[in-house]
Amino acid sequence: AGDGDCGHTHARAARAIREWVRARPPPAAPAQLLSALADLLLEKMGGSSGVLYGLFLTAASQPLLNHNDLPTWADAVDAGIKAMQRYGGAAPGDRTMLDSLCAAAQALHALRSPGADLLPVLAAAVQSAEAAAEATRHMEAGAGRASYISSAQLLQPDPGAVAVAAVLRAVLEGLQ
């Protein structure tokens, strides 16, 4: 919304994750890692973003309880998005973090193809998320904080959508 709240919230989350990783090794099992991150963000991030990331990670952890293959990671992202939509009430096109996340999820569906290669698929997902974040610049806000602000004042891309794209880029760079 242009007031810096989204950036401050994400910076709080980043600091909490950094402190958490320094204090103890994160769980190695993907489902436990996502669940622990959900708890951490719910406790430390704050704001509606913290709740939405917590919902996403909690739901995403469920498919990963029994499998850790690439198709299951695509299922996990879909489960997380579904939870965010159910509890948050937003949908793609509402000028929210879901615009970036859903664009990335579409690209991540390629993980379900036999012989899928994680890094190229994730790189495509990051590009999709970044393009979707930029596209929010021209959207009418249908949900979230920006929906309370005049469209004439919304000149920048949605901060939550930009943040999701940045998080996905950081995951890609970390894996590279």
Side-chain angles (χ1 to χ4, degrees):
D3 63 2
D5 182 60
C6 185
H8 289 294
T9 301
H10 282 80
R12 217 175 15 254
R15 285 190 299 274
I17 292 168
R18 183 181 61 213
E19 291 170 15
W20 178 62
V21 169
R22 286 181 179 166
R24 71 189 68 74
Q32 286 73 27
L33 174 64
L34 296 185
S35 290
L37 280 170
D39 292 344
L40 180 72
L41 294 179
L42 285 166
E43 179 185 343
K44 303 284 185 179
M45 186 175 192
S48 58
S49 292
V51 172
L52 289 169
Y53 281 115
L55 286 168
F56 175 86
L57 292 166
T58 298
S61 71
Q62 295 308 299
L64 295 165
L65 286 170
N66 299 315
H67 298 93
N68 183 24
D69 57 5
L70 293 181
T72 305
W73 278 97
D75 295 343
V77 171
D78 287 346
I81 289 171
K82 188 174 180 180
M84 288 175 77
Q85 288 179 307
R86 183 172 50 246
Y87 295 108
D94 281 340
R95 196 181 198 277
T96 69
M97 63 173 50
L98 276 172
D99 291 298
S100 290
L101 199 51
C102 289
Q106 283 300 117
L108 291 172
H109 288 171
L111 293 174
R112 295 183 177 117
S113 299
D117 189 359
L118 175 63
L119 291 180
V121 171
L122 186 53
V126 169
Q127 289 177 341
S128 294
E130 290 171 343
E134 181 56 34
T136 64
R137 177 187 304 268
H138 307 292
M139 288 181 182
E140 183 84 21
R145 192 168 182 177
S147 66
Y148 304 110
I149 299 170
S150 164
S151 295
Q153 294 178 318
L154 297 174
L155 305 174
Q156 300 298 318
D158 179 73
V162 171
V164 164
V167 168
L168 291 172
R169 176 153 301 280
V171 169
L172 173 63
E173 291 173 0
L175 291 172
Q176 290 174 327

